[in-house]
Amino acid sequence: MLQVYLVRHGETEWNAARRIQGQSDSPLTAKGLFQARQVAERVRKEGITHVITSDLGRTRHTAQIIADACGCEVIEEPRLRELHMGVLEERILDGLTEQEEVWRKQMVDGSPKGRIPEGETMTELATRMRAALDSCLELPAGSKPLLVSHGIALGSLISTILGLPAYAERRLRLRNCSLSRVDHQESAWLASGWIVETAGDISHLDQPALDELQR
């Protein structure tokens, strides 16, 4: 059985300011750095062999803190990037026009063909996220990788493992530096392949964490 840990990056300046990030970037806040150290301590004794991260700054910084604690090198994987949110990237959530808010909601409300202009669909996101996860099957026997990615990206991955369409209504909360785990296994009582062991665990954090742009 292959166990793969999934971590969302720590809180960023734009998370705190309710600014849409997508594939744009902003630095971790002091709280985000503390969250990263807390999740690093949580997984330090799990025998992590590979820390694989989205190549965006907020995930790379989070991943480096985890890798230092686990004695691993950081491997960049662009397929783990956040959903590209097109023309809405870098915008303040509360300043969106009525039409822009319609575009944004289509990414979370189950619209099958929802796409922000110049951005990705949820299906495109889930396809590349699943490919990144599947590539872990090529790691040497006995590996225990940890992937550092983003809220919408990880939510789409976990949801599709559960059998939901990529564009299904979002009902999975993944806060900053939450920890999830998916396993690839064969079982008499579970579907073969990837299964979800845990999702969105924040028991290692001692302060409330943000959920996307919520406080």
Side-chain angles (χ1 to χ4, degrees):
M1 179 176 70
L2 175 65
Q3 298 177 348
V4 181
Y5 290 85
L6 309 174
V7 173
R8 184 185 171 204
H9 62 80
E11 180 188 277
T12 70
E13 292 180 0
W14 286 7
N15 287 149
R18 293 171 57 80
R19 186 182 294 273
I20 296 171
Q21 293 184 114
Q23 293 188 7
S24 301
D25 218 351
S26 69
L28 299 183
T29 62
K31 182 176 181 180
L33 291 169
F34 184 57
Q35 291 168 336
R37 290 192 290 270
Q38 288 185 306
V39 73
E41 181 60 25
R42 168 76 181 274
V43 300
R44 184 173 60 85
K45 297 180 181 179
E46 294 295 337
I48 300 301
T49 59
H50 299 76
V51 175
I52 305 169
T53 181
S54 155
D55 60 348
L56 299 179
R58 58 193 185 270
T59 40
R60 285 191 290 106
H61 200 167
T62 303
Q64 189 63 63
I65 292 170
I66 296 170
D68 289 345
C70 295
C72 300
E73 298 294 326
V74 172
I75 303 168
E76 292 189 7
E77 172 52 84
R79 290 178 294 187
L80 293 174
R81 282 187 173 197
E82 181 60 293
L83 174 75
H84 195 302
M85 301 192 74
V87 298
L88 298 189
E89 297 208 358
E90 305 184 22
R91 297 288 303 281
I92 294 290
L93 182 64
D94 298 332
L96 300 182
T97 67
E98 183 175 342
Q99 178 60 69
E100 290 170 340
E101 181 63 8
V102 169
W103 293 335
R104 187 193 68 82
K105 284 187 175 180
Q106 287 179 344
M107 312 313 296
V108 300
D109 67 3
S111 297
K113 296 183 179 180
R115 183 197 298 269
I116 297 167
E118 301 181 21
E120 286 180 292
T121 66
M122 292 296 289
T123 299
E124 291 167 342
L125 168 65
T127 297
R128 62 175 169 80
M129 287 293 294
R130 183 59 173 268
L133 177 64
D134 285 344
S135 69
C136 292
L137 297 171
E138 302 171 7
L139 294 172
S143 295
K144 189 177 285 189
L146 181 147
L147 310 184
V148 184
S149 187
H150 307 264
I152 296 176
L154 289 171
S156 73
L157 177 62
I158 295 172
S159 294
T160 53
I161 289 174
L162 291 171
L164 297 170
Y167 53 81
E169 292 179 313
R170 292 190 68 213
R171 298 187 181 276
L172 179 61
R173 175 171 288 131
L174 298 175
R175 297 184 183 275
N176 289 126
C177 277
S178 59
L179 180 66
S180 306
R181 199 186 96 194
V182 297
D183 298 343
H184 194 276
Q185 48 83 72
E186 301 290 336
S187 169
W189 294 103
L190 294 171
S192 297
W194 293 108
I195 60 98
V196 177
E197 177 69 20
T198 59
D201 183 7
I202 55 169
S203 60
H204 49 283
L205 302 180
D206 61 5
Q207 298 179 30
L210 298 182
D211 171 17
E212 301 304 336
L213 300 174
Q214 303 299 317
R215 293 190 181 278

